[in-house]
Amino acid sequence: MVDMKDNVVIITGAAMGLGLATAKELAAKGASLVLVDYNEEALNAQVKSLKEQYPSIEILSIVADVSNEEAVKNYVNKTIDKFGKIDGFYNNAGIEGKQASITDYDLDVFKKVIDINLMGVYYGLRYVIPQMQKQNYGRIVNVASVGGIRGVLNQTPYVASKHAVAGMTKNAALEYGQYGILTNAIAPGAILTPMVAEAFKQVNPEDPAAAEKEYASNNPTRRLGQPEDVAKVVAFLISKDNGYVSGQVIAIDGGESNMY
Ligand code: NAD
């Protein structure tokens, strides 16, 4: 097990799903955590339970909306004030939006998806990278999606935002590798989190379990992913053990993105 005791890692969207699973994985490895989410109630509940389970690790929790530039500046500054450094940044917060075809898509929802998934990730990079440059060290994991490497029916703003995350990841790797900063993106397939449970409800409001079963049957592994499947990959990419992987968009989808 990689020891991350001397690491400070910021996780956005930490109150549930993929962010929470990674928070647990890194807490078990001894990392100091900065947990950011806009759902204050869920964040407080998870921070309380993490502190009970891992009393020796330090946790700073910050309520912030990642689509608000000032709020992003603030979570970065608070992290530096408390810990003096940022070793890892899990740029994870995101939303799916509603499912509709391009011409029917609600414009306000479209803009909201772009604000959170694209601008939120960008603000994070903009304010975290200068600190990592000073340190000559950093590990960044942006969260794209299989929707960042191919199309997904009825999810145009999501797909557009996740392709943008993949693109920003490649550029960050090019521009900041010289400062010891390795930037990658993960591209999860369908991982069973609250977000995906909500998506199955949209696909089949009468019987979301049937939609889930059908989706799983099309995967080469015949199952959906679990948040822990993702957390273990992130834990490697965000640690010092990752010495030379950068600018990659790594699918975590049981191999499904190779099918057509
Ligand atoms: P989730 O909805 O289960 O959890 C997301 C968390 O992010 C929530 O705690 C939510 O409150 C928080 N959040 C959302 N918008 C925020 C904002 N503007 N500011 C601060 N916090 C915010 O979702 P998840 O499945 O864990 O997804 C996490 C990331 O993984 C997202 O970027 C999502 O697009 C991506 N992703 C998920 C899957 C999947 O199958 N679950 C697949 C591909 C990509």
Side-chain angles (χ1 to χ4, degrees):
M1 194 165 85
V2 194
D3 183 351
M4 293 188 66
K5 280 196 180 61
D6 62 344
N7 278 236
V8 175
V9 180
I10 299 176
I11 300 175
T12 66
M16 61 185 85
L18 301 186
L20 178 61
T22 296
K24 289 179 180 166
E25 184 73 21
L26 299 187
K29 294 176 190 302
S32 298
L33 300 177
V34 180
L35 304 182
V36 177
D37 207 289
Y38 66 3
N39 183 336
E40 185 168 8
E41 201 183 332
L43 182 65
N44 289 344
Q46 294 304 340
V47 168
K48 185 169 174 279
S49 114
L50 276 167
K51 280 184 174 161
E52 279 163 13
Q53 207 183 343
Y54 303 99
S56 62
I57 70 157
E58 288 205 75
I59 302 178
L60 173 63
S61 72
I62 301 171
V63 177
D65 180 341
V66 301
S67 67
N68 177 328
E69 185 181 356
E70 285 307 310
V72 174
K73 252 192 230 175
N74 181 56
Y75 80 61
V76 172
N77 287 339
K78 277 191 173 155
T79 303
I80 297 166
D81 288 348
K82 181 166 170 67
F83 295 108
K85 63 172 188 162
I86 305 167
D87 298 291
F89 179 38
Y90 187 33
N91 207 356
N92 162 74
I95 60 168
E96 189 202 60
K98 297 285 171 212
Q99 300 193 10
S101 61
I102 290 177
T103 51
D104 287 338
Y105 214 95
D106 182 293
L107 263 184
D108 289 335
V109 178
F110 195 108
K111 286 177 183 164
K112 191 171 176 203
V113 172
I114 297 296
D115 268 354
I116 295 177
N117 293 9
L118 196 163
M119 295 311 297
V121 166
Y122 170 67
Y123 295 142
L125 295 173
R126 184 176 178 95
Y127 294 106
V128 166
I129 286 173
Q131 175 60 30
M132 289 182 166
Q133 278 181 288
K134 282 185 201 152
Q135 303 163 183
N136 253 303
Y137 178 85
R139 298 285 179 269
I140 298 172
V141 179
N142 296 322
V143 179
S145 164
V146 285
I149 48 185
R150 63 177 192 193
V152 182
L153 278 177
N154 295 326
Q155 297 193 29
T156 296
Y158 187 79
V159 165
S161 67
K162 294 303 187 179
H163 274 72
V165 170
M168 289 191 284
T169 299
K170 292 169 192 171
N171 257 42
L174 294 182
E175 292 173 22
Y176 300 102
Q178 63 190 305
Y179 300 101
I181 303 171
L182 304 183
T183 305
N184 291 287
I186 55 163
I191 315 291
L192 266 180
T193 65
M195 186 178 93
V196 163
E198 189 50 44
F200 287 130
K201 277 189 212 155
Q202 288 192 54
V203 172
N204 186 347
E206 265 88 65
D207 192 356
E212 182 183 324
K213 208 170 158 198
E214 196 197 329
Y215 201 96
S217 73
N218 290 324
N219 188 282
T221 64
R222 305 289 185 267
R223 71 170 179 92
L224 299 185
Q226 293 297 329
E228 297 71 29
D229 294 325
V230 175
K232 286 184 192 305
V233 179
V234 176
F236 165 73
L237 292 171
I238 219 157
S239 77
K240 290 193 174 75
D241 268 10
N242 175 19
Y244 208 50
V245 181
S246 196
Q248 302 306 306
V249 181
I250 298 165
I252 308 173
D253 68 347
E256 193 174 349
S257 50
N258 295 301
M259 293 166 63
Y260 68 94

